[in-house]
Amino acid sequence: MNLEFTPEEIAFRQEVRAFIEASYPKHLADAGMREDLPREDFLAWHKVLGEKGWSVPAWPTEYGGTGWTPTQRYIWSEENARVNALMPLPFGVSMVGPVIYSFGNDEQKAQHLPGIRSGDVWWCQGYSEPGAGSDLASLKTTAVRDGDHYVINGQKTWTTLAQYADWGFFLCRTDPDAAKPQEGISFILVDMNTPGVEVRPIKLIDGGYEVNETWLTDVRVPVENLVGQENMGWTYAKFLLAHERSGIAGVARSKRGVEKLREIAGAELLDGEPLMSDFDFARKVSQLEIDLAALEITELRTLAGEQAGKGPGPESSILKIKGTEIQQRLTELTLEAVGSYGTPLYGSIADAGSNQYPVGPDYAQHAASTYFNMRKTSIYGGSNEIQRNIISKMILGL
């Protein structure tokens, strides 16, 4: 693999950087890790990219993709991470969009893909249930055929930002008598304004609100909202999760996070000397950078494989495991670096217009909340324990 950028790629980076500097919404500076924004802020950059034609760079060109090479897509992610840009949410762009253009019919593609590209339609994911998380095949939500409709009943949980969603994609059991539980599941698109859909907030320990319970009570959904074939939803779900896990790696964001960590450790003092001068702390940062560099090469190999027509496979589990472990170590070291400044809960002070100024430097304000929020990364998208099982089976043949 040639890791040197060509003159054309350097010119592309300059083009991307100039576009971001000129077009990224100024009021969203450093909003990239926040989950407490209004709907219009979440969609602001997405809509700018939709107008530019850059909102779905990984999609095939026939569905609105950019046709960029893996290296160009990598440069694109790096440049957005450099300014901590609030990227288009993955639920439409990286999850249901690829399922629809890969397995959906022409009517579904025409109905849903334009709204995903433009950012006009917000999607949410209905997979996990109170009794079906990593063991997703045990899900209980049912979809019973009644004429030209499915009648859906059940409960989903951890439905991220469903309070803003226009549409959702749900896994439902359509054949309770299937020989294997995976064989009786279907992938169904649901208008979130349909009668019987109720979104209930799950308030987090810090008072934040980004996840929900979603209740479906006698929800009537047209049969034409079934993606692909009935009882084949598990196949489509695995396809979607491979794309999701590849995106969770977040290499470019972590690289920017390490740069920020070094800046913080250079400013914070330990016994009168910069924290970065402490051998033990510097060792932990260096090991993190080494692991991140290895993950970066793995991600580039995966991108190259996708460009060659090989969809993300079990290697996406490697990206998911190592990417989330690095994210957690990074936020832990950042919290360690800010020390006691990470203790206060800012909430209303930092985000709700209070005239009280936070204690300590600006970079400490969200260190603790980000650390605690990132505990989730090793669980969502399929827990890391499950990913290790996938690797042992699909890659090692155990």
Side-chain angles (χ1 to χ4, degrees):
M1 180 184 295
N2 183 6
L3 298 180
E4 298 294 327
F5 292 111
T6 66
E8 293 77 15
E9 289 164 348
I10 294 173
F12 175 76
R13 182 183 294 275
Q14 293 170 343
E15 177 189 0
V16 165
R17 183 171 297 184
F19 172 72
I20 292 174
E21 290 177 352
S23 305
Y24 187 72
K26 299 299 185 288
H27 71 287
L28 293 180
D30 292 323
M33 291 298 294
R34 291 175 54 186
E35 302 279 2
D36 58 347
L37 299 171
R39 175 186 167 110
E40 56 269 22
D41 283 352
F42 273 113
L43 295 176
W45 185 224
H46 189 158
K47 291 191 173 184
V48 172
L49 296 177
E51 294 176 359
K52 177 73 171 176
W54 286 4
S55 60
V56 290
W59 287 18
T61 54
E62 62 186 293
Y63 300 120
T66 57
W68 290 344
T69 65
T71 303
Q72 287 176 311
R73 286 158 51 192
Y74 177 76
I75 290 171
W76 169 246
S77 65
E78 276 201 321
E79 289 302 309
N80 277 278
R82 189 178 64 86
V83 299
N84 201 26
L86 184 66
M87 297 304 292
L89 292 166
F91 310 110
V93 170
S94 305
M95 297 183 185
V96 74
V99 171
I100 291 173
Y101 68 63
S102 297
F103 303 105
N105 56 42
D106 291 340
E107 290 76 15
Q108 290 168 341
K109 295 173 187 177
Q111 179 182 0
H112 296 296
L113 296 183
I116 296 174
R117 289 195 305 266
S118 67
D120 290 328
V121 180
W122 187 304
W123 287 81
C124 66
Q125 179 184 30
Y127 273 27
S128 295
E129 298 181 5
S134 294
D135 182 21
L136 189 58
S138 65
L139 64 88
K140 304 297 184 184
T141 297
T142 60
V144 178
R145 182 74 178 263
D146 180 23
D148 57 358
H149 285 78
Y150 286 108
V151 180
I152 301 178
N153 283 279
Q155 178 191 1
K156 299 294 183 177
T157 193
W158 311 124
T159 322
T160 303
L161 298 173
Q163 66 267 33
Y164 297 138
D166 304 298
W167 281 78
F169 50 98
F170 289 79
L171 291 183
C172 305
R173 189 162 301 286
T174 44
D175 183 2
D177 300 318
K180 295 182 178 180
Q182 295 91 335
E183 295 174 355
I185 294 172
S186 295
F187 193 104
I188 301 175
L189 311 179
V190 178
D191 185 336
M192 295 297 285
N193 292 313
T194 306
V197 177
E198 180 184 3
V199 175
R200 301 179 187 175
I202 299 174
K203 290 298 183 71
L204 304 181
I205 194 169
D206 64 354
Y209 173 25
E210 64 174 285
V211 290
N212 303 269
E213 297 176 315
T214 302
W215 293 79
L216 303 107
T217 306
D218 294 330
V219 177
R220 297 185 65 85
V221 176
V223 170
E224 55 262 31
N225 287 11
L226 171 73
V227 175
Q229 301 178 42
E230 190 174 84
N231 300 323
M232 287 292 292
W234 189 252
T235 298
Y236 314 142
K238 290 192 296 181
F239 173 87
L240 181 150
L241 285 169
H243 281 268
E244 178 184 2
R245 289 163 186 160
S246 297
I248 288 173
V251 171
R253 297 276 169 176
S254 291
K255 288 177 67 176
R256 177 67 187 103
V258 171
E259 293 174 5
K260 186 67 174 179
L261 172 60
R262 281 189 167 274
E263 294 171 9
I264 294 171
E268 292 295 316
L269 301 180
L270 177 66
D271 297 329
E273 297 292 333
L275 177 59
M276 203 61 215
S277 300
D278 178 73
F279 176 81
D280 187 57
F281 189 85
R283 176 187 58 79
K284 289 187 284 188
V285 174
S286 297
Q287 186 61 58
L288 181 67
E289 291 179 305
I290 291 169
D291 292 344
L292 183 55
L295 179 64
E296 182 178 20
I297 297 300
T298 302
E299 183 179 58
L300 288 171
R301 288 203 306 266
T302 302
L303 287 173
E306 288 186 45
Q307 185 69 16
K310 177 186 175 184
E315 66 272 16
S316 65
S317 293
I318 299 175
L319 294 174
K320 199 274 179 177
I321 293 171
K322 297 303 297 183
T324 56
E325 288 178 346
I326 286 170
Q327 291 161 21
Q328 291 180 343
R329 287 162 57 195
L330 173 58
T331 56
E332 182 177 356
L333 284 173
T334 301
L335 185 59
E336 180 180 340
V338 303
S340 59
Y341 290 135
T343 302
L345 174 63
Y346 290 107
S348 62
I349 295 178
D351 301 324
S354 171
N355 60 4
Q356 300 180 60
Y357 195 76
V359 176
D362 290 344
Y363 55 67
Q365 291 181 25
H366 296 287
S369 60
T370 302
Y371 164 80
F372 286 115
N373 191 275
M374 295 300 279
R375 299 302 93 190
K376 68 188 179 186
T377 62
S378 54
I379 300 173
Y380 68 31
S383 71
N384 285 6
E385 290 79 6
I386 296 296
Q387 303 316 305
R388 290 183 173 90
N389 288 343
I390 293 173
I391 291 169
S392 66
K393 179 180 179 180
M394 302 299 294
I395 297 179
L396 303 179
L398 300 178

